[in-house]
Amino acid sequence: MSIGNKKGKDDPISKRKLDVHTSDDARRVKSRIKLNQPPRIPVRSTVASRSTENAKRASIASSVDSSTSTSSSIMSHNTTVRDQQQRTQSPGLAPSRNLKRFKTDVSAKVTTKSLSKAIPSWDTKGNLNKLQHQLNDQDVEISEIEKLQNDLQSTVESKESLLQEARQKVVELENTLKMNQDRYDDEMNRAKQRFTLMNKSLMDENTRIKSKLSSFETELEDYQQTYTTTMCSIDTETAQNKQLMQTKQKLESEFEEIDGFLNDKRKKKEEFNASLEHYKNECKRLATLKEEKRRTMLMIERQLLEDEKRRRRYHDKLQEMKGNIRVFCRVRPALDTKKNLASIKYFGEDNESIEFVEKASSTLGNVVTKTHSFTFDRVFSPECTQKECYEEIEQLVQSSLDGFHVSIFAYGQTGSGKTYTMQGPSLSNEETTGMIPRAVRQIYDVAQKLNQFGWKYTMEGQFLEIYNETIHDLLGDASNYGKIKHEIHHDSESGKTSVTNITRVHLDSPAKLRMMLKKATQNRATGATNLNERSSRSHSVFTLRLNGSNENTGETTEGVLNLIDLAGSERLAVSGSVGDRLRETQAINKSLSCLGDVIQALVNKKNDNGFVPYRNSKLTYLLQNSLGGNCKTLMFVNVSPLAEHFGESLCSLRFAQKVNNCKIPTAKKMIKN
């Protein structure tokens, strides 16, 4: 710490270095001033060389330039001296005061010169005298600077002597420090030897003490284990004694309670024996009453079964009275209010008649009004909802559960609302749901209600289409269309109709039915014509087979519900069909024409027992049992209210009138005992 303090601010070595730097700066300033000083101009040689006016002017200009350079050198000297003073400024240094005094004198001279009166340029002698004075001043300045340099040199020498003395002191201190270090090392070695001997003896003593402590700890652990075992045994015996005492007290109290309880039970037993005798008599009376109730329940169940049979019988008679083949007419609403509507009237006590009014021009230009009236089992106006239409056919759906074959098909021109009536729109709600979903929902609901009478039903569905006189499975793979051959078979004994290689789906919930209808709708053939942007180009047939069995009576029923959506009838001149659409239209019109021939043959058959051409088309052959066999049949004829479709609507109504006049044999229930 003492050596470090000596090297502080007042250290002579530091002062010596500072003086050396100061003298070096002074020498650099002096050399810079000598370099910037302009050459002296002899007065005599300058005056003698004036020969002409031009020479005079040149000398004056050079004199002015010399004066300017001299002023610049003085300013540069002042700046250098100021920098030197800032670098070497330190307490106790004499050259700093000399520099300050020199700076003050130079500044005063420059100021005096600048304040002197300016000499005109034509006064050559005055300018020369001025320059001579400036040279004299610079000589004085140089002498002062040399004197300052000598002072700095002497200061540097004194500082060097001080530095030499400091170095000697440092050497002496280093020698003293080395001697002290050697003495300290000797003492440390002796102390280490003493410490080693003492440590060894202490370690030996510690080892002996540890061995004794270990033996003491082992004995203490043995004593503690013995103590713990003894205390546990004492605690266990104490707890057992306490528990035994509690058990003794508890048993004594329980014995007292048992004695009281036994006394109460003896009293209650006597009361119970008296009551038991009374209840035995009451049970005999209830058993007799139960037998009477059981006989009554059997009679009621038999009565319910008889009532159910009677209901079915009356229902069958009611359906036969209405006719085994019925025709409903439905007029769809106008989708575009801008188009002209046909003149249609609805009348009749049960809304069974419809009248179309046609206005035509005669050859004489007179307007002739013609009326076309038709009467069916029921006529539905455009204001009627899907629910109102279904209420008229739900009894037929009930007949399918009772074991009958029921067929409901929609007929009409393209765009008259057949698919809407049978299936409803693609996004349907409670109001717009079609006949097929409503029929299946009714069947599920009624089947649940009939469970209380012992009836259990299983349902199986299939969906096919007839496209260009070819049968396709709408529930199968669409890529197999045309690759798998489907044939129609009729069983004359049972009246069943079956199609080979067709997909049948077990329907155990309405959700499964909705999925089946969605798939069938996607696979069904549709196309755009002039009459309808999405016209059905095929006949679709949905068949639901209902097999019921009654565990109580042993009866089984086999009902079938056929829901048929016929392709739209259209005339080639109006539809504008070409190419594939032309062939589709021809196939559709041919099958519908064959259907008309079958209806006409059935009308004439009651008179002459003629032949019915079912095999002329796949459609009529598939519907053979629905039209003339053991089946209850309903046809929806759908017509358009637009005036531009008047001709097509009239043709559809006339065809429906033929069907309404057709009579088929009474349907038979497919039931086995």
Side-chain angles (χ1 to χ4, degrees):
M1 293 296 294
S2 62
I3 296 173
N5 291 332
K6 289 181 179 181
K7 291 182 181 181
K9 184 186 297 185
D10 298 332
D11 185 15
I13 298 175
S14 300
K15 292 181 180 180
R16 181 67 177 172
K17 291 181 180 181
L18 182 62
D19 293 339
V20 172
H21 290 310
T22 305
S23 62
D24 293 340
D25 292 340
R27 284 196 296 270
R28 283 196 296 270
V29 170
K30 182 177 180 180
S31 62
R32 193 181 298 113
I33 292 174
K34 289 181 179 181
L35 292 174
N36 294 331
Q37 187 176 5
R40 297 182 179 181
I41 304 175
V43 177
R44 294 179 180 179
S45 62
T46 305
V47 174
S49 63
R50 282 182 312 196
S51 60
T52 61
E53 187 67 25
N54 293 333
K56 179 181 179 180
R57 292 178 180 176
S59 63
I60 293 171
S62 63
S63 300
V64 173
D65 294 339
S66 300
S67 176
T68 304
S69 63
T70 303
S71 300
S72 300
S73 65
I74 292 171
M75 296 299 291
S76 174
H77 174 70
N78 291 336
T79 304
T80 305
V81 170
R82 188 184 303 111
D83 295 340
Q84 180 180 3
Q85 181 181 3
Q86 292 176 356
R87 288 193 303 270
T88 61
Q89 188 173 5
S90 176
L93 294 180
S96 63
R97 289 193 298 271
N98 294 332
L99 288 174
K100 289 182 180 179
R101 186 171 62 253
F102 174 75
K103 179 180 178 181
T104 304
D105 295 340
V106 174
S107 300
K109 290 178 181 181
V110 173
T111 305
T112 303
K113 290 179 181 181
S114 63
L115 294 175
S116 65
K117 184 177 179 181
I119 299 174
S121 61
W122 51 265
D123 191 358
T124 306
K125 186 176 180 179
N127 289 325
L128 291 175
N129 292 331
K130 180 180 178 181
L131 293 173
Q132 187 63 39
H133 287 302
Q134 291 177 355
L135 291 174
N136 294 331
D137 294 339
Q138 289 180 0
D139 290 338
V140 173
E141 292 174 2
I142 291 170
S143 62
E144 292 178 355
I145 291 171
E146 289 177 353
K147 183 179 180 180
L148 178 62
Q149 182 178 3
N150 294 329
D151 294 340
L152 293 173
Q153 185 67 29
S154 61
T155 303
V156 168
E157 291 175 356
S158 63
K159 295 297 180 182
E160 287 179 351
S161 63
L162 293 174
L163 177 62
Q164 187 66 26
E165 293 175 358
R167 287 178 178 174
Q168 291 177 359
K169 289 182 180 181
V170 169
V171 172
E172 292 175 357
L173 291 173
E174 287 178 350
N175 294 330
T176 303
L177 180 62
K178 184 176 180 182
M179 292 173 63
N180 293 333
Q181 183 67 33
D182 294 338
R183 187 170 60 254
Y184 174 76
D185 291 340
D186 293 338
E187 292 178 356
M188 286 296 297
N189 291 330
R190 288 193 296 272
K192 285 181 179 179
Q193 291 176 0
R194 289 195 302 272
F195 176 78
T196 302
L197 295 174
M198 187 180 296
N199 188 29
K200 184 177 180 181
S201 63
L202 291 175
M203 288 179 66
D204 295 338
E205 184 67 20
N206 189 22
T207 302
R208 289 192 299 272
I209 292 172
K210 283 184 177 180
S211 61
K212 291 181 181 180
L213 179 61
S214 177
S215 63
F216 290 155
E217 288 178 351
T218 304
E219 292 177 0
L220 180 61
E221 288 179 357
D222 295 337
Y223 290 146
Q224 285 180 349
Q225 290 179 357
T226 305
Y227 174 76
T228 302
T229 305
T230 304
M231 291 302 295
C232 289
S233 301
I234 293 172
D235 292 339
T236 303
E237 291 177 357
T238 303
Q240 289 177 355
N241 292 332
K242 186 177 180 180
Q243 186 176 4
L244 289 173
M245 292 299 293
Q246 292 177 354
T247 304
K248 178 182 177 182
Q249 294 176 359
K250 184 177 180 181
L251 289 174
E252 289 176 353
S253 61
E254 288 180 355
F255 286 150
E256 293 177 358
E257 291 178 358
I258 290 172
D259 290 338
F261 181 74
L262 288 175
N263 293 329
D264 293 338
K265 288 297 182 182
R266 292 189 188 98
K267 294 178 181 179
K268 290 182 179 180
K269 181 179 179 182
E270 295 175 357
E271 295 176 358
F272 179 74
N273 290 331
S275 300
L276 182 60
E277 190 65 27
H278 172 70
Y279 287 137
K280 284 182 179 179
N281 298 329
E282 186 68 20
C283 286
K284 291 179 181 179
R285 187 183 66 82
L286 291 176
T288 304
L289 182 61
K290 180 181 178 182
E291 183 64 23
E292 293 177 358
K293 294 293 183 183
R294 188 183 66 81
R295 293 174 183 174
T296 304
M297 287 295 295
L298 291 176
M299 292 177 62
I300 292 173
E301 288 179 358
R302 283 195 292 267
Q303 185 65 34
L304 287 174
L305 292 175
E306 292 295 330
D307 291 342
E308 176 64 17
K309 292 179 180 179
R310 192 179 301 109
R311 182 200 63 77
R312 294 190 178 193
R313 188 163 55 250
Y314 290 156
H315 175 75
D316 297 341
K317 289 182 179 180
L318 177 62
Q319 297 303 314
E320 290 177 6
M321 292 174 64
K322 290 182 177 181
N324 286 327
I325 183 167
R326 281 178 280 172
V327 178
F328 289 167
C329 175
R330 186 179 189 186
V331 181
R332 72 164 176 83
L335 302 179
D336 190 355
T337 57
K338 296 181 180 180
K339 294 185 178 181
N340 295 328
L341 300 179
S343 178
I344 305 174
K345 296 180 181 180
Y346 308 94
F347 57 93
E349 295 181 358
D350 297 327
N351 296 324
E352 72 278 3
S353 299
I354 184 173
E355 181 180 84
F356 276 70
V357 180
E358 178 185 10
K359 293 182 180 181
S361 299
S362 64
T363 55
L364 299 178
N366 298 326
V367 178
V368 179
T369 302
K370 296 182 180 180
T371 60
H372 305 275
S373 299
F374 301 92
T375 300
F376 303 105
D377 293 281
R378 178 68 190 271
V379 176
F380 297 98
S381 64
E383 292 77 16
C384 293
T385 62
Q386 294 275 70
K387 181 179 179 181
E388 293 174 350
C389 294
Y390 184 74
E391 287 176 353
E392 293 296 327
I393 70 170
E394 62 181 355
Q395 298 301 324
L396 284 175
V397 176
Q398 178 64 44
S399 297
S400 64
L401 274 172
D402 294 341
F404 287 94
H405 289 192
V406 177
S407 295
I408 301 173
F409 60 93
Y411 174 85
Q413 68 187 75
T414 297
S416 60
K418 300 182 301 300
T419 304
Y420 178 86
T421 299
M422 299 304 292
Q423 299 183 18
S426 57
L427 298 176
S428 60
N429 51 34
E430 185 63 27
E431 289 187 11
T432 59
T433 302
M435 302 299 111
I436 295 177
R438 289 177 185 271
V440 176
R441 185 169 57 190
Q442 177 191 347
I443 289 172
Y444 277 110
D445 294 341
V446 175
Q448 293 294 327
K449 293 178 182 179
L450 292 177
N451 282 337
Q452 61 181 335
F453 301 118
W455 285 98
K456 293 183 180 179
Y457 287 91
T458 59
M459 285 165 273
E460 186 180 72
Q462 66 182 40
F463 216 136
L464 60 87
E465 72 171 352
I466 301 176
Y467 175 72
N468 286 346
E469 289 299 308
T470 304
I471 296 177
H472 296 305
D473 185 4
L474 292 178
L475 302 181
D477 189 358
S479 61
N480 293 329
Y481 284 2
K483 300 178 181 179
I484 300 177
K485 186 176 181 180
H486 303 281
E487 296 180 355
I488 302 171
H489 296 289
H490 296 291
D491 188 350
S492 58
E493 295 182 359
S494 61
K496 293 182 180 180
T497 300
S498 60
V499 180
T500 60
N501 300 323
I502 203 73
T503 301
R504 294 180 176 85
V505 179
H506 179 68
L507 301 176
D508 52 3
S509 65
K512 202 166 187 179
L513 171 69
R514 287 192 293 269
M515 294 176 59
M516 183 184 73
L517 293 178
K518 183 178 180 181
K519 182 177 182 180
T521 302
Q522 292 174 351
N523 292 335
R524 188 178 179 188
T526 59
T529 65
N530 291 342
L531 297 178
N532 188 8
E533 293 182 357
R534 184 171 176 81
S535 175
S536 299
R537 314 306 296 165
S538 64
H539 310 295
S540 69
V541 181
F542 171 70
T543 302
L544 183 64
R545 302 184 185 277
L546 306 169
N547 298 320
S549 61
N550 193 316
E551 297 178 354
N552 298 329
T553 62
E555 292 180 305
T556 59
T557 60
E558 296 178 358
V560 178
L561 177 63
N562 293 314
L563 299 171
I564 305 155
D565 180 14
L566 299 177
S569 63
E570 54 189 25
R571 287 176 289 182
L572 293 176
V574 179
S575 65
S577 300
V578 294
D580 293 339
R581 295 291 176 267
L582 176 61
R583 288 189 294 273
E584 292 170 356
T585 303
Q586 291 173 345
I588 291 169
N589 291 339
K590 176 185 176 182
S591 61
L592 294 177
S593 177
C594 293
L595 180 61
D597 295 340
V598 169
I599 296 298
Q600 186 65 37
L602 290 173
V603 173
N604 298 330
K605 185 178 179 181
K606 62 182 180 180
N607 297 325
D608 53 6
N609 295 327
F611 170 73
V612 180
Y614 290 113
R615 292 181 176 269
N616 287 353
S617 74
K618 290 288 180 67
L619 175 64
T620 55
Y621 190 54
L622 181 65
L623 300 179
Q624 178 176 343
N625 290 330
S626 299
L627 296 175
N630 181 23
C631 186
K632 295 180 181 292
T633 304
L634 170 66
M635 184 181 79
F636 265 104
V637 56
N638 296 81
V639 295
S640 171
L642 301 180
E644 60 183 281
H645 298 157
F646 182 85
E648 293 290 338
S649 298
L650 198 61
C651 293
S652 298
L653 291 171
R654 286 171 178 167
F655 178 78
Q657 189 72 47
K658 290 181 181 180
V659 176
N660 197 32
N661 294 331
C662 180
K663 303 296 181 183
I664 62 176
T666 302
K668 296 180 181 179
K669 182 188 297 186
M670 304 304 296
I671 186 170
K672 298 179 181 179
N673 293 325

